[in-house]
Amino acid sequence: EFKPTEYTASKLYMPAAVRGVFTIDNVPQRVEWLPTPGYAYDFRIDTENNKFIVPLGVYRSGIERKGNIDVNIEVKNDTVNMLIVSEEIPETTEILPANQYNFPTSVTVRDGSELGGFDLEINLDYLLSQPDKIFALGVGISSDKLEVNTNISTTIIVIYTKILVPTADFSYSINGKTVTFINESSFGMKYSWNFGDGRSNSKNPSHTYSSSGNYIVTLT
């Protein structure tokens, strides 16, 4: 006897919550780095509007995509405090002040879609004014329209402000007139070298000088 396949009922969840604590403690290691479609990537900077932006989203699981689903978005900092007490995040972590960020109070997963995206926008100047601090914020979802998977309904974002201050540093080795530069910078994404008689934008360049002599090399 043929029996139709039974599928799991749709539920709502936050993709970023699947990764555990959403820790932002480094910059993308490739300038051309792109997020996996539909999966929250770490952050982007909007210097024009002075914002540090963490893109987040709500997913509708299962095969059912019918109807608009309204989802509430709210602060869930009780979970942050629990993680500090349990030492799952550093004890020096501070709750991000409520007047330094904003996000929409709701998002809609549209008919036919599985994802509703939204942005957590943080005051960039504030983060820059707090060097080498660790801030955390809990963002959770709820809905009267569809069941929420409570195991992955809250995203804990932890931000290390040290990543906003890139520091240039390098070492080098010499073989004849060729110098190999080893980039030891912290939190850099783009690099500009001046060799004294030429330039490069490579991360770890080699440069052959046309003649012997003393050269001042700078890395920005």
Side-chain angles (χ1 to χ4, degrees):
E1 180 183 355
F2 173 77
K3 293 184 179 181
T5 302
E6 295 184 3
Y7 294 97
T8 303
S10 295
K11 290 186 179 181
L12 298 171
Y13 71 95
M14 298 187 74
V18 176
R19 66 194 291 180
V21 177
F22 185 171
T23 302
I24 302 176
D25 61 356
N26 207 342
V27 296
Q29 297 305 294
R30 305 190 312 274
V31 174
E32 71 277 12
W33 178 86
L34 293 172
T36 302
Y39 190 89
Y41 55 91
D42 287 359
F43 69 92
R44 67 180 186 269
I45 300 292
D46 181 351
T47 53
E48 183 176 345
N49 295 298
N50 188 41
K51 294 177 180 179
F52 182 99
I53 300 173
V54 181
L56 298 170
V58 179
Y59 249 63
R60 168 168 40 188
S61 66
I63 63 170
E64 180 61 64
R65 299 286 185 268
K66 293 180 180 179
N68 292 336
I69 303 296
D70 297 325
V71 184
N72 304 314
I73 307 169
E74 52 202 354
V75 174
K76 293 285 189 179
N77 282 335
D78 288 348
T79 305
V80 174
N81 292 321
M82 290 171 55
L83 292 174
I84 293 174
V85 171
S86 65
E87 300 182 345
E88 293 182 58
I89 59 178
E91 63 179 1
T92 55
T93 302
E94 299 179 17
I95 300 293
L96 187 65
N99 63 345
Q100 299 299 332
Y101 66 84
N102 63 79
F103 54 76
T105 57
S106 66
V107 66
T108 300
V109 182
R110 298 292 179 186
D111 182 51
S113 175
E114 61 185 9
L115 175 67
F118 65 95
D119 287 340
L120 165 64
E121 299 179 345
I122 304 171
N123 182 345
L124 179 59
D125 280 346
Y126 178 75
L127 295 181
L128 289 169
S129 72
Q130 304 291 318
D132 209 18
K133 285 283 192 73
I134 307 173
F135 288 112
L137 178 67
V139 179
I141 60 170
S142 63
S143 178
D144 297 328
K145 303 293 185 180
L146 189 66
E147 184 179 356
V148 173
N149 184 335
T150 55
N151 293 323
I152 42 179
S153 63
T154 299
T155 300
I156 304 301
I157 301 105
V158 177
I159 301 171
Y160 288 66
T161 61
K162 64 183 181 180
I163 69 171
L164 296 173
V165 185
T167 302
D169 192 19
F170 66 91
S171 59
Y172 62 91
S173 61
I174 302 175
N175 183 7
K177 294 181 181 179
T178 299
V179 183
T180 299
F181 296 94
I182 299 92
N183 194 327
E184 298 172 345
S185 304
S186 301
F187 311 119
M189 290 182 66
K190 296 181 180 180
Y191 307 95
S192 177
W193 296 84
N194 186 330
F195 303 122
D197 71 344
R199 296 177 179 275
S200 174
N201 292 320
S202 298
K203 184 176 181 179
N204 296 292
S206 293
H207 181 69
T208 300
Y209 288 90
S210 58
S211 60
S212 299
N214 296 321
Y215 297 88
I216 296 176
V217 178
T218 59
L219 168 61
T220 302

